[in-house]
Amino acid sequence: MIGKLTGIVDSLTLTTAIIDVGGVGYEVTLGARQLSALPPVGEPVTLSIDTHFREDGVRLYGFATEHERAWFRALQAVQGVGAKVALAVLGTLSAADLANAVALQDKNHVARAQGVGPKVAARIVAELKDKMPALAPAIVIGGAAPQPIAVLPEGLAARDAVSALTNLGYAHGEAAAAVSTAIGVAGREARAEELIRLGLKELAQ
């Protein structure tokens, strides 16, 4: 079983890359985000690989990090989620964004992925919540040292605050982490307006 490939980017399509490893070309299937992050053809690359054995052959799925591969595997444990849907989710959301969406139980954010309907998105955030924070990577706010993603309390205030900050142009992971910090300052019963104000202050540092 192949778990990692280090080689040269030989060629690219809309969904795959050929990675030349010592003269052998491995066809790797990647999501949109993963493909866009690959170096140019002819440049070296290292990918974490999840190997799937199918009736029509072996398929390799590639990821930039071990965290992405861990989320890919965890997503497929959710009812109704196969490799195609899991790859679509990670092709739309970063591992940090997905972790925060699960922490916030924000099914609408997950439903942004192509082929993911509201029911599947709801199952994803519900069934993966118990696997936090083991799957959650560290994220960085404003160049500061990485901080572990916190599981925020359920409720409209936290969700509304994150939504407001993302509408202002902040990444979902940054917004959720800022709101987590705001809750630590203002308390779990703070209103959305207070969380937004403190979140903006945190993001401005």
Side-chain angles (χ1 to χ4, degrees), residues 82-177:
K84 182 177 180 179
V85 171
L87 196 65
V89 171
L90 290 169
T92 302
L93 306 178
S94 68
D97 279 347
L98 179 56
N100 279 286
V102 172
L104 288 168
Q105 293 293 282
D106 187 353
K107 64 181 181 181
N108 292 330
H109 201 66
V110 177
R112 291 171 49 203
Q114 185 177 3
V116 179
K119 291 183 179 179
V120 172
R123 283 201 296 269
I124 287 173
V125 298
E127 294 184 25
L128 294 185
K129 184 177 181 181
D130 290 341
K131 298 186 178 181
M132 299 284 289
L135 286 170
I139 60 176
V140 176
I141 304 176
Q147 301 176 3
I149 294 174
V151 178
L152 302 184
E154 296 183 8
L156 291 177
R159 295 186 196 180
D160 287 349
V162 171
S163 178
L165 293 177
T166 55
N167 287 339
L168 291 173
Y170 292 102
H172 189 269
E174 287 183 322

